[in-house]
Amino acid sequence: MNTKPAAARRIHGGTDAQGKPLFDFSTNSNALGPCAAAMRQIQKADCAGYPDPEYQALRESLAVWHDVAPHRILFAASASEFIYRMSIVFALRSTQNYKKNDKQIRTKTVWIPPHSYGDYALAARAAGLDLSDDISTAGLIWACEPGSPLGQNQEGLAQILSALPATSQLVLDCAYQPLRLSGQASANAEQLERCWQMFTPNKALGLTGIRGAYVIAPVHGEEWQLGLEQLAPSWVLGSHAVAMLASWNSVPVQEWLSNSLVILREWKHRQIAICQDLGWQVLPSHANFFCAMPSASIQENRRDFLHDLRSQGIKLRHAESFGLPACFRLGVLHPQAQDVLQRAVKEFSPRFFLSY
């Protein structure tokens, strides 16, 4: 008899067993991607040889762009890979400090936002860490701004960073910072120096099939950084990821991104109006995605509704795994996709459309 425990289920948007959706509202990727300027650099990548294992040129380029010392730049295979690696390093350091009876160390306790990316919690459990609802007791704190699925600022982030104890580590997931369509970041440059900042440009470039991330270590984070580097595999980035990250701070790519945000704002207003026309309650968001609560009838018949839409090439992301079972999270797509969604919802069942 196989007694091996089943792995926790990972729930993501995007391509599934039925293939890539024709109209994919289930991911947060930039709908105007892929960025042509970045793609040209990726297509030129030298895949016949190893990249520099130290990524020195890329490290120095990103350091100049962010105005930080090059040694503060770390690389990761993806945001998820870094989330797991950071959780493991924290678990190892917590165990070591516990054995030393250092009462100043907050051992094995992690705080994650109430509605957030599932890998934060999965990584904590895999590393044998405890989740806490009390941020003041946590040794490892995860934050994301704008956060998924709600697209809102992290509540109290500036105050948390200002009061962050030396014994705690805060990782700020900046995946959607380049896709911010409204509002302002809540922490200033001085406060950000106290946390780990994790960047994944593939979403902003519409290139989620290319995996690769980089992290800015906090000031005086050398000891933790050493542990993170020691746990990283050799050549954590492949040639395509190096090319994508190397293009990230180039003028053509940043101009493309800036122009895409203008269009995404227009598309977002239109998509919100369509959802409201369908009787869906739209929650506020600063990003290129938002949560919407459909009619009670659609909620009650959610599985049939999602199955019917998926059969038409439309995929929505149900937000139950984020702790929002009454909502869908919708990435902003082009007007044609929005019109297809509107027709499909209305045609699914007249009683569903009229029941709100």
Side-chain angles (χ1 to χ4, degrees):
M1 180 177 179
N2 185 359
T3 58
K4 182 179 178 180
R9 187 182 175 200
R10 289 172 171 80
I11 300 173
H12 300 293
T15 303
D16 52 28
Q18 299 179 54
K20 185 177 181 179
L22 185 60
F23 304 106
D24 190 2
F25 292 88
S26 70
T27 79
N28 298 335
S29 182
N30 188 334
L32 281 103
C35 172
M39 276 296 298
R40 285 193 291 270
Q41 296 306 310
I42 292 167
Q43 289 166 348
K44 293 178 185 176
D46 178 9
C47 298
Y50 291 109
D52 167 20
E54 297 298 324
Y55 307 107
Q56 194 59 36
L58 178 59
R59 189 186 307 273
E60 291 176 358
S61 175
L62 291 171
V64 169
W65 196 49
H66 287 284
D67 193 23
V68 299
H71 73 268
R72 289 178 59 192
I73 303 290
L74 295 81
F75 296 105
S78 66
S80 292
E81 186 271 321
F82 184 79
I83 290 167
Y84 275 81
R85 197 177 352 147
M86 185 68 172
S87 300
I88 292 169
V89 169
F90 175 67
L92 292 172
R93 288 180 61 85
S94 297
T95 300
Q96 292 165 358
N97 286 313
Y98 179 76
K99 289 178 179 178
K100 293 177 184 177
N101 294 318
D102 187 344
K103 295 181 180 179
Q104 297 302 313
I105 302 297
R106 296 151 184 255
T107 60
K108 300 225 177 233
T109 307
V110 180
W111 183 88
I112 63 174
H115 307 293
S116 57
Y117 183 42
D119 277 17
Y120 303 147
L122 289 173
R125 294 189 181 103
L129 302 172
D130 298 322
L131 297 177
S132 174
D133 293 331
D134 184 357
I135 196 169
S136 67
T137 67
L140 177 60
I141 299 167
W142 292 98
C144 185
E145 189 174 290
S148 177
L150 292 171
Q152 299 174 9
N153 280 356
Q154 181 70 53
E155 184 177 355
L157 178 61
Q159 292 75 17
I160 294 168
L161 285 170
S162 295
L164 189 69
T167 52
S168 294
Q169 302 296 317
L170 188 149
V171 184
L172 178 61
D173 189 339
C174 303
Y176 306 110
Q177 179 177 297
L179 288 166
R180 178 184 286 275
L181 302 181
S182 62
Q184 306 245 340
S186 56
N188 59 36
E190 182 180 355
Q191 291 162 340
L192 291 175
E193 291 282 87
R194 307 191 66 188
C195 70
W196 303 82
Q197 300 171 69
M198 180 172 64
F199 295 89
T200 48
N202 57 355
K203 292 183 179 66
L205 298 177
L207 288 164
T208 51
I210 304 291
R211 314 302 295 162
Y214 67 95
V215 179
I216 301 176
V219 175
H220 309 308
E222 293 88 351
E223 191 175 348
W224 277 80
Q225 189 170 343
L226 178 61
L228 288 162
E229 296 281 18
Q230 288 174 335
L231 268 183
S234 297
W235 295 288
V236 67
L237 298 177
S239 296
H240 291 113
V242 171
M244 178 186 69
L245 295 180
S247 74
W248 174 233
N249 59 352
S250 68
V251 172
V253 167
Q254 287 299 311
E255 285 183 348
W256 175 88
L257 176 61
S258 179
N259 292 334
S260 76
L261 297 183
V262 175
I263 299 171
L264 285 172
R265 287 188 189 97
E266 295 175 357
W267 288 0
K268 182 179 180 181
H269 289 314
R270 188 180 190 277
Q271 188 164 308
I272 288 174
I274 284 175
C275 289
Q276 291 172 336
D277 174 69
L278 294 170
W280 294 14
Q281 180 184 346
V282 176
L283 305 184
S285 164
H286 293 300
N288 67 317
F289 55 88
F290 56 86
C291 282
M293 185 183 303
S295 66
S297 296
I298 287 180
Q299 291 182 46
E300 292 168 6
N301 296 273
R302 169 175 52 85
R303 293 185 184 280
D304 289 340
F305 174 72
L306 292 174
H307 177 77
D308 186 79
L309 262 60
R310 188 66 184 90
S311 68
Q312 300 179 59
I314 305 166
K315 185 172 181 179
L316 305 184
R317 174 71 188 272
H318 183 224
E320 183 175 23
S321 64
F322 295 113
L324 296 168
C327 294
F328 298 130
R329 189 196 67 189
L330 293 89
V332 172
L333 293 190
H334 52 82
Q336 178 191 1
Q338 296 172 10
D339 292 344
V340 170
L341 173 65
Q342 185 179 34
R343 286 195 298 271
V345 174
K346 287 185 175 182
E347 291 171 0
F348 178 66
S349 172
R351 72 177 183 279
F352 281 17
F353 176 63
L354 296 173
S355 63
Y356 57 83

